[in-house]
Amino acid sequence: MKPAIDLFKYVNKTRLEQFKYFLREMNARGLADHYGKPYVTDDEPMSSKIMYFQPILLAPSDRREVAKHIVGLPNSVLPVEDKVLNICLTYFYGPTNIYTYISGKTNPAEAHIHFDRVHNDPDYVTSLRENVAYARLHGHKMWTTYELHTSVQTAGRNYCRVKYNDPTRKAGDLDVVEWLAGLRYDGTVDRILKAKTLQDGYDALTSVHGIGPYFGGNSILMIANLAEVEYTHDEPFCAPGGGAIKTINYLFEDFFKAGHKMKPEKLIAWVAEHQEQLLEGVKIPVEFHNMDVSHGKLLKHDLARYTCNALEVGMCQFSVYCKFTEDPEAMKRRPNPPAIDLSPFAARERGEPMAPEKAGKAVKVVEPTTRVCLLDFD
């Protein structure tokens, strides 16, 4: 039997300090957002003008809003099956205000999709299409450019070609919503809810053709916070993407050069397990340990330690930071998006839809397409 490998001696200490610095600064950015204060730094690639995804689940971000306004809603308002699919929706599409664009609602507590109605009520589907058309008319995009959406867009298009008996039907913005609704009735959502572990839930979700590691991994980590499931977000599981793998290779370069092999997810789990030694001085702010929702505390366990998922996201974003330090021009392609003016949507809710010119926006009506610009970021 081979002796256990001492991984500590293979961690590049200088590079580990760089990663720790990045995590501390992301916490500082999160706290600044939490308290409505500016984040100040002389490190241009860390500037608040640059978009990064927060590693910690409940740091201010889109994820925190999904946790509060989807996961945290009473089941009498949004059934658990629809919570699962609304979670998937935000990751599959991407934009911060995607729920408003599709539902037409500006109140976050009301901005969600009823997938039972998508499956059974053609008039409801028509109303959602009209909402999307209005958002498009006002210049809003339905897809982010930080991820490649082709797999889910194609799956949605193919589902709708069968649903509407039209083999040449072109892709539309609502196809993915209609495809997701089908998962409520083909057993997929039940399998996700009945899974025993995070890995099992991930396997159930990614067994659906078109849902790969990125969309499946991010979705299941939020689904894991539903009160109805047995598994939790803090289990030693993650599905690392290219950026996280780059960071693992960067931190453990000597390990791999010595001829050793270990899957990236196992190394991330090892870092999580030994974070007291490896990440000394990096603490999750108490403000992000948990949050109150309709049924009590959102998380089943307070988030006082970095989870595998938090480290995977942190490593992914650290790889982006490293790219920017090497190539400052690349930062121009990843600006932190400004807040969206929701007044045209509020006016429409009042029965007073605004013409784009009145809203003061430059209008460019974009036809639905599956061609997405993938920026060179992981």
Side-chain angles (χ1 to χ4, degrees):
M1 183 176 180
K2 293 182 179 180
I5 299 172
D6 181 9
L7 288 173
F8 284 101
K9 74 177 186 179
Y10 287 107
V11 180
N12 187 302
K13 303 301 188 295
T14 300
R15 295 175 179 180
L16 182 63
E17 288 300 319
Q18 295 170 350
F19 179 55
K20 289 167 62 177
Y21 159 79
F22 178 77
L23 292 179
R24 283 194 295 267
E25 290 303 305
M26 288 302 297
N27 286 344
R29 279 176 59 138
L31 285 170
D33 287 345
H34 182 76
Y35 289 109
K37 297 181 178 180
Y39 167 72
V40 180
T41 180
D42 293 329
D43 184 3
E44 190 176 3
M46 279 303 311
S47 167
S48 58
K49 296 178 182 179
I50 308 302
M51 199 280 286
Y52 290 106
F53 296 112
Q54 275 286 355
I56 300 172
L57 179 67
L58 296 183
S61 65
D62 290 353
R63 292 203 296 176
R64 184 181 176 95
E65 294 305 301
V66 172
K68 181 178 181 180
H69 297 298
I70 298 297
V71 179
L73 283 178
N75 287 353
S76 58
V77 174
L78 191 66
V80 65
E81 295 85 0
D82 279 357
K83 290 182 181 181
V84 169
L85 297 174
N86 273 278
I87 290 168
C88 292
L89 182 148
T90 191
Y91 291 110
F92 290 13
Y93 281 88
T96 296
N97 293 289
I98 190 63
Y99 294 120
T100 292
Y101 299 162
I102 297 177
S103 73
K105 303 292 185 181
T106 54
N107 181 350
E110 299 176 353
H112 46 254
I113 310 304
H114 295 281
F115 284 92
D116 56 334
R117 294 188 64 191
V118 172
H119 193 263
N120 298 305
D121 184 352
D123 290 339
Y124 181 65
V125 174
T126 298
S127 73
L128 299 184
R129 288 205 183 101
E130 291 171 351
N131 296 339
V132 169
Y134 185 77
R136 285 284 197 184
L137 187 65
H138 284 269
H140 298 293
K141 296 180 179 179
M142 300 300 294
W143 311 94
T144 49
T145 56
Y146 301 116
E147 309 90 10
L148 186 62
H149 302 270
T150 306
S151 64
V152 294
Q153 289 171 323
T154 301
R157 181 202 65 190
N158 291 345
Y159 175 88
C160 286
R161 283 180 173 179
V162 174
K163 177 179 178 178
Y164 295 105
N165 192 28
D166 183 354
T168 62
R169 184 180 185 275
K170 293 183 178 181
D173 283 329
L174 207 66
D175 290 358
V176 169
V177 171
E178 296 191 67
W179 169 52
L180 284 172
L183 303 185
R184 198 180 193 277
Y185 295 91
D186 70 359
T188 299
V189 170
D190 284 342
R191 289 193 295 274
I192 292 168
L193 290 172
K194 293 176 181 177
K196 300 298 183 183
T197 67
L198 193 59
Q199 172 81 64
D200 290 343
Y202 171 81
D203 290 343
L205 183 54
T206 56
S207 69
V208 178
H209 185 71
I211 304 178
Y214 177 83
F215 295 118
N218 280 286
S219 298
I220 203 65
L221 261 297
M222 185 59 73
I223 292 168
N225 298 304
L226 293 170
E228 292 77 9
V229 301
E230 292 186 30
Y231 47 94
T232 64
H233 76 283
D234 52 2
E235 293 177 23
F237 168 80
C238 66
I245 293 171
K246 284 181 182 178
T247 295
I248 282 293
N249 292 338
Y250 183 66
L251 296 176
F252 290 92
E253 184 177 4
D254 293 340
F255 173 77
F256 293 112
K257 281 186 174 180
H260 300 298
K261 295 181 180 180
M262 189 176 290
K263 291 183 178 180
E265 56 266 36
K266 297 297 183 183
L267 286 169
I268 293 173
W270 180 84
V271 173
E273 181 182 358
H274 297 93
Q275 61 189 271
E276 283 74 19
Q277 300 101 304
L278 295 168
L279 304 180
E280 185 179 3
V282 182
K283 303 294 183 184
I284 294 180
V286 67
E287 290 88 343
F288 310 146
H289 283 191
N290 216 328
M291 69 185 299
D292 293 318
V293 292
S294 63
H295 59 264
K297 294 294 183 182
L298 173 78
L299 303 181
K300 295 157 190 171
H301 315 118
D302 282 359
L303 184 58
R305 302 175 80 250
Y306 279 89
T307 63
C308 284
N309 172 253
L311 288 175
E312 191 276 333
V313 175
M315 289 180 180
C316 177
Q317 299 307 293
F318 175 69
S319 74
V320 175
Y321 169 77
C322 290
K323 179 182 181 67
F324 292 159
T325 59
E326 297 167 2
D327 180 13
E329 282 295 309
M331 288 187 285
K332 296 178 181 178
R333 293 185 288 157
R334 187 153 161 159
N336 220 353
I340 298 295
D341 176 15
L342 296 181
S343 59
F345 299 95
R348 186 166 177 262
E349 284 184 282
R350 298 192 303 268
E352 304 169 353
M354 296 171 65
E357 294 78 7
K358 187 176 180 181
K361 293 181 179 294
V363 182
K364 181 181 179 182
V365 179
V366 183
E367 294 298 324
T369 175
T370 57
R371 295 180 61 189
V372 177
C373 174
L374 177 66
L375 298 184
D376 186 20
F377 304 122
D378 296 294

